[in-house]
Amino acid sequence: MTVISTPHEFNVPDLFVDLKDLLGDQLYLKCEGFNFAGSIKLKAAVEMVTRGERAGTLRPGMTLVESSSGNLGVALSLVAASMGYRFVCVTDNRCTLANRQRMENLGAQVRVITAPDETGGFLGARIRHVKELCAANDGYVWLNQYANPGNWMSHYRTTGPEIAAQFPDLDVLFIGAGTTGTLMGCARYFREQHPVVTVVAVDSVGSVTFGTPPGPRMIPGLGTSVRPDLLDESFVDAVVHVPEADTIRMCHRLVKGGFVFGGSTGTVLSGAQQWIRENRPERDIVGVAISPDLGDHYLDTVYRDKWVQDIYGLDPAEPPERPGPAAPPPRPQMESASIDSAR
């Protein structure tokens, strides 16, 4: 029997789905959506808040402020409610209605940015609003998930070891890149403890994280319009970029097998299959991909036929395609950039 006194104490660390029959590749999916926040972001939320408390920068009664496309906002709403903080989430109009309602039900104040910044992205505009709030209000503290080491440390301490414990013969680990907290924490752990494991980052087409051109993105979770400070490409062995149309196809392929996962999961699995096709391993490999959340957050977008047809021109009723090999995007040499100066 498991007994808890606060909601963030509960998480399922060892649930994996064998996707061999469904996708045809030896892939296992680590499911991180089974906690009271509904996503992997609960780990980072708890770590960042507790680190702030230990450092003395956070005290009960203060107001946490964060920019989030949804999942971290929900996680911080839960943590704030249970640990004695107020919370203001600055998001944009891509945040799903379900996530906005969950944050508000947990007592958070949600600010929705509707106009992009001069670069055409929303992240820069969100961060600017966060800084304005903190400058104008005493007791407001920005956790800054894009640069806070607690973001990646939470996965170095938990997610990486959880995977290694279940898959001592792991060959390849596929991780989606958003703030890159999950990516950096797991990549650092495996580089130090199991260096034979290949770490593949999966990003969305239109994201600038790895130096590719910016473009429109409608599915929250992965990708950025501002390069995260946390990212250190030296820990990443390969990068795959996935068009959002392929994300949709993968999600609907999974749901035909009874699995309702989030948009980020569709992106990661589509990228994993692309990497496997392009590298054509001579032997069966053991691969693990990380699923950040479940599909209940995406019922009004990814799993809504009209939304999919209007945005992507896809018919979800058609059998999902399995696209052929595609040339990987170029990997330009990049200099480290800060949140304020990056695109």
Side-chain angles (χ1 to χ4, degrees):
M1 178 173 66
T2 301
V3 178
I4 63 174
S5 57
T6 56
H8 54 269
E9 293 178 67
F10 176 75
N11 190 64
V12 178
D14 56 359
L15 177 60
F16 294 80
V17 177
D18 185 346
L19 295 172
K20 178 71 173 179
D21 290 342
L22 192 58
L23 299 185
D25 294 311
Q26 193 63 57
L27 274 172
Y28 297 89
L29 187 64
K30 188 180 194 308
C31 301
E32 288 281 352
F34 292 96
N35 56 54
F36 285 102
S39 82
I40 196 171
K41 291 292 189 177
L42 183 59
K43 293 177 174 179
V46 172
E47 183 77 21
M48 289 190 294
V49 170
T50 54
R51 284 172 66 94
E53 289 179 336
R54 290 195 299 268
T57 57
L58 289 180
R59 297 179 302 279
M62 299 181 78
T63 299
L64 310 177
V65 187
E66 188 55 89
S67 157
S68 169
S69 61
N71 281 341
L72 182 68
V74 172
L76 282 171
S77 299
L78 180 150
V79 171
S82 65
M83 298 179 69
Y85 296 98
R86 292 183 294 273
F87 174 54
V88 178
C89 180
V90 179
T91 187
D92 59 65
N93 53 17
R94 295 173 303 168
C95 180
T96 66
L97 176 61
N99 275 341
R100 293 203 300 269
Q101 290 176 331
R102 291 182 74 179
M103 286 187 274
E104 290 170 346
N105 288 336
L106 286 164
Q109 180 186 144
V110 180
R111 302 267 187 120
V112 181
I113 302 299
T114 58
D117 60 22
E118 61 278 0
T119 68
F122 285 95
L123 182 54
R126 284 175 11 204
I127 291 174
R128 182 160 54 239
H129 190 64
V130 167
K131 291 179 177 179
E132 291 170 352
L133 286 174
C134 292
N137 296 277
D138 290 336
Y140 276 44
V141 178
W142 179 27
L143 294 174
N144 192 0
Q145 62 166 325
Y146 312 102
N148 192 319
N151 189 346
W152 68 260
M153 181 59 73
S154 65
H155 302 288
Y156 180 90
R157 295 195 307 102
T158 62
T159 312
E162 288 164 5
I163 294 169
Q166 302 300 323
F167 294 90
D169 56 348
L170 180 65
D171 293 302
V172 188
L173 179 60
F174 300 96
I175 311 171
T179 64
T180 68
T182 306
L183 174 63
M184 286 293 96
C186 290
R188 289 173 184 271
Y189 173 81
F190 278 96
R191 178 66 59 84
E192 293 178 12
Q193 304 297 325
H194 305 275
V196 298
V197 173
T198 297
V199 175
V200 178
V202 182
D203 199 7
S204 297
V205 169
S207 167
V208 307
T209 300
F210 293 96
T212 47
R217 293 175 292 109
M218 298 302 297
I219 302 174
L222 299 187
T224 66
S225 59
V226 177
R227 176 180 162 93
D229 281 351
L230 294 178
L231 178 63
D232 183 342
E233 289 188 79
S234 69
F235 289 94
V236 178
D237 298 301
V239 180
V240 178
H241 285 81
V242 175
E244 287 191 337
D246 288 349
T247 295
I248 299 292
R249 293 187 181 99
M250 179 58 73
C251 286
H252 284 265
R253 185 176 181 182
L254 293 169
V255 83
K256 290 181 184 298
F259 292 105
V260 185
F261 286 110
S264 297
T265 303
T267 302
V268 171
L269 289 178
S270 181
Q273 287 207 304
Q274 180 179 325
W275 186 90
I276 292 170
R277 289 195 308 273
E278 291 173 354
N279 288 274
R280 303 182 186 279
E282 295 181 358
R283 62 176 178 85
D284 286 341
I285 62 170
V286 177
V288 168
I290 298 175
S291 170
D293 60 5
L294 302 178
D296 58 325
H297 300 181
Y298 303 84
L299 296 180
D300 57 343
T301 54
V302 170
Y303 293 103
R304 182 167 168 252
D305 289 358
K306 187 177 187 307
W307 188 87
V308 171
Q309 291 167 348
D310 290 346
I311 300 296
Y312 304 101
L314 299 176
D315 183 356
E318 294 180 356
E321 301 175 0
R322 181 163 182 165
R331 298 289 312 284
Q333 294 296 114
M334 299 184 64
E335 297 179 357
S336 177
S338 70
I339 284 292
D340 289 325
S341 61
R343 168 76 167 79

